[in-house]
Amino acid sequence: MTRKGPNLIAIGRGREGAPEVLFVVFDDETGAGLHPRDRTPPFGAALSGAALEAAGIGSRLLELSASDVKRGDVPELRGDNAGVVAVEAGARHDGFLERLRPAVRERGGSVVIFGMYSGVSADSILKRGLADFCVVGEAEAALPGLAERLISGGGGAFPPGVKWLEPDGGIGFSGPSAAVNTDDMPFLPLPVLTDGRYRKNSFPISIGRPLKWGFALGNRGCRFACRFCTAMTRQSLRKEYRLCSPERLFEEMKYQVERGGRTIISVEDDLFTGDREWTLRFCELLEKSGWATPWIMQTRFDCLDEEVLAALKRAGCAGMTCGMESGSDRVLEALGKRETVETIRRTGKLINKYGFATRYTTMIGSPGETEADARMTAALVRELNPTVVQMSFCTPYADTELAKEAGLRSGGRRFEDPAAGICALSADRLKRMRLKFYAKHYFSLSYLRGHAAGAAKYLIENPRAAAGQNAAFASFVARQALKTAGLRFVSRSAE
């Protein structure tokens, strides 16, 4: 399968004729019939590629779709000059890795795995011969140094955060890597930023002109320890909360607007307002600069208050994502949220008061959850009436406290596959409850009264994107309705 088309992005240029790094990531959780998702840049690969360019090593980024993976193809490396193929893989990609490594080694290259799967299963990956090296920790901390060493052929120690298989079958480890700080990282490369495929499908907001999404990372990690939290959904693999310089984030936002032509910026921090004083300093910096480009961010309800919300509004923040998870205090406690329904309700009303666009994420199928708990979630969503609400299934990914404590592990997809053994509700029942939830929310009179005008403006300003997003959601609903109807028919026939 030759990749010379739009799926391949040149991140950075290297020395003429020198081997380069091919980053492979998977976009196999979007597509016809699947739950609509945001398309955010793969920061680990993109920032590592930018760091490699500074060392004179070129890199490219290849995205493989669900259909690519299903066909069983691997990238055609002829002419790609890939000295290192670095793959952000999950457990479901083992078959791909089994086919990839011989092809890479035949050309004298090395396969490196990075990401959450590598972090929790490095020993198993190496012993099964799926890779030559595994990065344990954030890719940006170890990948540039590892790739530079492999391509140069030099000796010496590997950078911290790398595992490999020793000749005697043991596992070599270069020691823990340091936590990455944004102040030490390059900006997101322009070829990735302006490619056009990356966008926030979950924020259909009107800004008076077409949305051209920019993406930036400022603060990394999170101060909290929710039992369901996974690196699969975080932008920072490590949890340590690390503040960046407000000026550093501001400079990258300016760069993306001035050099990249972006009309809106998504600050992808896992917890943007985790430090109140930092947030107020950053907002003051933007306000004094006369910043005019709208931006959005993600945080928690209990990390907001009226002073912070007012400062965010003055600084041009147009919207925010908050994790609601549940409308039941009992479920929130089981999830380790350390947040109450009353806090969510009170802060949600303040957010509405200041006119922010909102995306609230919820879950269903949480530990011990009942249908009564799910109805409480629906009622809280109805009361706060966010611009967008997304409901995923509680999923015990391998790196979560939920998986460790319950002895469960899921390689499934949180928007597609309800996990077994967490609550008494069946997978079929959970899927039907989610469909009903979406229908009642998005077609309610209160939702239409509150958001129809904004949706119409968004459609006028972004006709192609809006049409694609509406078609994707309709395809997902139709597919889920047909699947659940089929499951009910099979169940009744068995009776």
Side-chain angles (χ1 to χ4, degrees):
M1 176 176 62
T2 304
R3 288 292 182 186
K4 303 300 181 186
N7 284 348
L8 195 60
I9 301 174
I11 299 177
R13 296 181 178 180
R15 293 181 292 271
E16 185 69 29
E20 58 184 20
V21 177
L22 176 66
F23 291 99
V24 179
V25 297
F26 295 89
D27 175 37
D28 55 354
E29 291 199 26
T30 60
L34 299 178
H35 194 293
R37 300 283 301 277
D38 287 335
R39 293 288 312 278
T40 54
F43 279 97
L47 297 180
S48 295
L52 285 166
E53 184 177 29
I57 297 173
S59 63
R60 290 186 283 176
L61 173 66
L62 171 66
E63 281 196 355
L64 296 179
S65 68
S67 58
D68 293 331
V69 176
K70 188 175 181 180
R71 282 197 303 266
D73 295 334
V74 296
E76 171 58 63
L77 299 176
R78 185 177 304 130
D80 279 348
N81 203 24
V84 174
V85 178
V87 187
E88 187 171 18
R92 63 181 178 274
H93 303 127
D94 282 356
F96 170 85
L97 297 173
E98 289 174 356
R99 296 184 295 273
L100 175 69
R101 190 179 179 224
V104 174
R105 289 176 65 85
E106 185 179 348
R107 291 178 54 78
S110 301
V111 173
V112 179
I113 309 298
F114 66 99
M116 189 270 278
Y117 181 46
S118 177
V120 299
S121 303
D123 293 10
S124 172
I125 291 170
L126 294 166
K127 289 181 178 180
R128 286 181 289 145
L130 302 180
D132 298 289
F133 300 92
C134 284
V135 171
V136 181
E138 290 171 325
E140 308 94 300
L143 254 178
L146 174 61
E148 186 175 0
R149 183 189 183 284
L150 293 173
I151 286 175
S152 68
F158 290 112
V162 177
K163 284 191 172 185
W164 62 92
L165 191 67
E166 298 281 15
D168 63 1
I171 299 294
F173 183 40
S174 60
S177 63
V180 173
N181 191 300
T182 296
D183 290 344
D184 302 323
M185 294 305 300
F187 292 168
L188 190 68
L190 282 178
V192 176
L193 181 68
T194 60
D195 178 73
R197 75 185 70 178
Y198 303 114
R199 57 190 177 276
K200 299 291 285 190
N201 293 317
S202 61
F203 264 92
I205 59 176
S206 167
I207 63 169
R209 52 181 171 164
L211 298 180
K212 294 182 180 179
W213 285 98
F215 297 87
L217 267 179
N219 302 329
R220 290 173 174 250
C222 181
R223 294 195 291 108
F224 297 86
C226 301
R227 294 177 61 218
F228 60 89
C229 186
T230 171
M232 293 287 289
T233 60
R234 294 195 309 267
Q235 290 295 0
S236 298
L237 191 70
R238 295 175 64 147
K239 289 290 299 271
E240 298 97 321
Y241 194 51
R242 294 150 277 166
L243 296 174
C244 74
S245 157
E247 291 77 14
R248 163 63 176 78
L249 178 56
F250 177 50
E251 287 301 318
E252 179 158 13
M253 291 171 67
K254 284 202 302 182
Y255 169 82
Q256 294 194 5
V257 171
E258 295 170 0
R259 294 283 305 280
R262 303 299 90 187
T263 61
I264 186 168
I265 306 291
S266 176
V267 181
E268 289 289 304
D269 301 11
D270 298 313
L271 183 64
F272 181 78
T273 63
D275 185 288
R276 190 174 185 279
E277 295 308 312
W278 184 95
T279 304
L280 294 173
R281 281 178 56 208
F282 178 75
C283 289
E284 183 181 19
L285 179 63
L286 262 65
E287 184 181 3
K288 287 184 175 179
S289 75
W291 181 260
T293 301
W295 54 283
I296 65 172
M297 57 83 182
Q298 175 173 287
T299 189
R300 287 170 53 111
F301 289 98
D302 58 0
C303 289
L304 294 167
D305 58 40
E306 187 146 18
E307 183 182 2
V308 169
L309 288 167
L312 288 166
K313 195 68 176 179
R314 292 194 302 270
C317 180
M320 61 188 68
T321 292
C322 292
M324 177 186 288
E325 319 314 345
S326 177
S328 164
D329 280 323
R330 188 177 65 82
V331 173
L332 290 174
E333 184 177 358
L335 292 171
K337 253 316 248 194
R338 292 170 53 193
E339 202 168 36
T340 66
V341 171
E342 182 51 37
T343 298
I344 295 171
R345 176 180 290 111
R346 182 178 63 251
T347 307
K349 290 180 178 179
L350 275 177
I351 293 169
N352 289 345
K353 171 184 171 181
Y354 282 90
F356 291 99
T358 48
R359 169 182 173 250
Y360 294 162
T361 57
T362 65
M363 291 196 302
I364 195 171
S366 299
E369 187 172 25
T370 65
E371 291 197 34
D373 294 318
R375 286 194 293 270
M376 295 166 91
T377 302
L380 185 58
V381 168
R382 187 164 56 249
E383 182 179 354
L384 297 179
N385 200 18
T387 314
V388 170
V389 61
Q390 288 187 330
M391 179 172 279
S392 63
F393 300 115
C394 185
T395 305
Y397 287 110
D399 64 331
T400 64
E401 289 302 313
L402 185 63
K404 296 172 186 175
E405 293 171 15
L408 299 169
R409 179 175 292 196
S410 172
R413 298 173 294 182
R414 64 194 177 102
F415 281 113
E416 309 298 331
D417 310 310
I422 297 181
C423 74
L425 299 169
S426 69
D428 175 39
R429 183 61 184 152
L430 290 169
K431 288 184 177 182
R432 284 188 279 131
M433 288 168 63
R434 182 174 67 170
L435 277 179
K436 183 178 179 180
F437 167 80
Y438 277 144
K440 290 189 72 173
H441 176 67
Y442 285 115
F443 293 102
S444 68
L445 287 176
S446 60
Y447 183 81
L448 294 173
R449 280 196 301 265
H451 302 293
K457 291 179 182 178
Y458 174 75
L459 176 62
I460 293 169
E461 295 165 11
N462 304 274
R464 290 185 61 185
Q469 289 156 5
N470 290 336
F473 191 74
S475 170
F476 157 73
V477 170
R479 178 175 177 265
Q480 291 295 307
L482 288 171
K483 286 182 70 174
T484 55
L487 285 171
R488 289 200 304 274
F489 175 77
V490 170
S491 177
R492 289 170 181 170
S493 297
E495 293 174 1

